[in-house]
Amino acid sequence: MFTTRPTLQGTFGMVSSTHWLASATAMAVLESGGNAFDAAVAAGFVLHVVEPHLNGPAGEVPIILAPAGRAPQVLCGQGPAPAGATIEHYRGLGLELVPGTGPLAAAVPGAFDAWMLLLRDHGTKRLSEILSYAIGYAEHGHPVVENVGRTVAEVAELFESEWTSSAALYLTGGRPPAPGTLLRNPALAATWRRVLAEAEAAGADRETQIEAARRVWREGFIAEALAAAAARPAMDTSGARHAGTLDGGDLAKFEATYEDPATYTWNGWTIAKPGLWSQGPAFLQQLALLSELPEYGTAEYYHVLIEGSKLAMADREAWYGDNPQVSLEALLSPEYNAQRRTLIGPHASAELRPGSPQGQTPRLSAYASNSVAVVPSSLGAGEPTVGSSGATKGDTCHLDVVDRWGNMVAATPSGGWLQSNPVVPELGFPLGTRLQMAWLEPDLPNSLTPGRRPRTTLSPSLALRDGVAVMAFGTPGGDQQDQWSPHFLLAVALREQVRGGLDLQGAIDAPNWHQESFPGSFYPRTMNPGAVVVESRIGTDVIGELERRGHRVTVGGAWSEGRLCAVARDPETGLLSAGANPRGMQGYAAGR
């Protein structure tokens, strides 16, 4: 069977990420004696440097980790809304939606503290060694990938006219960085060097230094600079300049937290996801809707998956958030899903049809209820992209690591994009914009509320067999993450195994799709009822049959859907494997 690359196999360690330099960094840490968690943290900080259009230090990261021989945990690096982020404040500014950019959209940054907790509790390396890779790339430069320059070009006018600190870093003579040229970020390198200096001054112990770094972020020079940046009005997608609500008190109070994952078992595969504060359970709901699957790759197969995705994402709109009104058990119960399954008929639905778990009546945002497509179905709708009008958004990274001891981790860093907020000049990175996902209406599960997490699209995955972690995987893609990922899992589970291990690369390469029949999570929150985007490789016969069934099909490029990363471990043999997404020519797996 043809694949773009082989599924890597070995016994020492495996890494997959959305950028080859992050994958190489993680492998270097494994080679130096570190474990999967050390490797993930080092790679995470490198991703801040080499994919600044996809994530940054002031963004977010949910992490699923499975220490060898122990149950998986979720480490939540999603910060909440600041104390001043009330619906009344935003409505008083004349806003119906949280802007997609600017200080008003900034939640409390969560990524740094989550990475520090992972290193403290599960890693073995010292902070200086972990940060050395990111410092090196920021100080000496890294070769720019094409999409960095393309993103900067889209927002160059905004940078030059309004966000001048961003222009100083990313524009040279008014031009964005060209592919392959070295991009340096000396301010970011200096930030991490100062963090290390203050951490090492606190004591010689590894954990003492990590704790000191956490305090520097929450209460020291970084917190002071972030709070000052949030207080400075900046142009945002509303067309006006606004200051944010984030302050030093918000930063001082936040700590990343551990929690049990949401899980569902399908055909012997137990999938672990972040909880209802994320869209992760939508993956589980899609599995719960499946009974007897049609033949893999047929039009009926895709139709069933697409319609099931619509039902799950409709429930996401009605029930998911940091204040859920129903239990996950109810959403995944056999009774509820048997009833929901009857809604999957032979023809496509264009309706938003949330269910009534536990007999409760679903309630949607009025904006979501009235949301209609304002642009034709596009290859990026439902996924954060960049608009030339200044309606700038960002995307996401992903990384997975498994080591020779059986430790496994999946992480999806995002937010704090170069196009989200002006660069804080003394730090070398901007604030994030995750609050744009919360509604400015009260009493909804995802209403903007001080102290609550905005529902995130970030959604790493872990698969277990017989209670043992066997696969870590995930993808960028905003609302598409929990459409592309279930399709990948099914491709792994239903396709033939090759070379004595899981065919990860074949499942990653398999033609993928997404549907758009629900309000998007990113400003301006549009939807395209009945729209489905498919890769052309899905085949003309399948496309024709989907159209006959009423799907509004947009045929994308042959390699345009899905950006999966994956690593796996066979618990019986210790055989490790990895695959990476060929789309975009950026993601790579590494291992031996």
Side-chain angles (χ1 to χ4, degrees), residues 14-108:
M14 287 286 162
V15 178
S16 180
S17 86
T18 49
H19 196 291
W20 64 83
L21 291 179
S23 296
T25 294
M27 274 309 298
V29 173
L30 293 179
E31 295 284 2
S32 70
N35 65 19
F37 310 117
D38 295 312
V41 179
F45 278 90
V46 167
L47 286 172
H48 294 159
V49 181
V50 300
E51 293 191 320
H53 60 311
L54 306 181
N55 78 137
E60 303 83 26
V61 60
I63 302 167
I64 300 184
L65 59 142
R70 292 163 56 185
Q73 287 183 297
V74 171
L75 178 50
C76 175
Q78 172 59 64
T86 64
I87 291 174
E88 293 75 19
H89 176 69
Y90 287 70
R91 288 289 190 177
L93 296 172
L95 300 172
E96 294 185 359
L97 293 173
V98 177
T101 60
L104 269 180
V108 180

Side-chain angles (χ1 to χ4, degrees), residues 68 84 105 128 142 159 163 190 230 254 281 396 426 433 475 477 521 547 553 562 567:
S128 58
H142 63 94
F159 280 11
W163 298 4
F254 176 75
T396 299
E426 60 268 46
T433 56
T475 179
S521 294
E547 290 176 331
V553 180
V567 299

Side-chain angles (χ1 to χ4, degrees), residues 42 98-99 127 134 146 156 192 209 313 372 384 394 404 423 464 490 571 590:
V98 177
L127 182 59
E146 184 175 356
W192 296 145
Q209 292 180 2
M313 298 305 268
V372 295
R404 61 191 184 277
V423 165
L464 301 91
L490 294 173

Side-chain angles (χ1 to χ4, degrees), residues 307 311 339-345 347 349 353:
E307 293 303 294
L311 295 175
Q339 179 270 321
R340 294 287 277 165
R341 201 175 295 121
T342 64
L343 298 178
I344 300 177
H347 299 288
S349 170
R353 300 181 291 178

Side-chain angles (χ1 to χ4, degrees), residues 312-403:
M313 298 305 268
D315 272 354
R316 185 198 77 166
E317 285 306 302
W319 302 114
Y320 289 23
D322 206 13
N323 183 35
Q325 306 300 307
V326 298
S327 69
L328 183 60
E329 290 74 19
L331 290 168
L332 296 177
S333 69
E335 298 79 14
Y336 179 68
N337 284 283
Q339 179 270 321
R340 294 287 277 165
R341 201 175 295 121
T342 64
L343 298 178
I344 300 177
H347 299 288
S349 170
E351 299 178 61
L352 190 65
R353 300 181 291 178
S356 299
Q358 298 175 319
Q360 297 197 51
T361 302
R363 179 168 170 244
L364 298 168
S365 162
Y367 193 93
S369 302
N370 298 324
S371 185
V372 295
V374 295
V375 292
S377 179
S378 68
L379 304 188
E383 174 184 11
T385 53
V386 179
S388 58
S389 66
T392 59
K393 293 169 269 186
D395 200 355
T396 299
C397 309
H398 187 81
L399 65 95
D400 303 303
V401 189
V402 61
D403 63 30

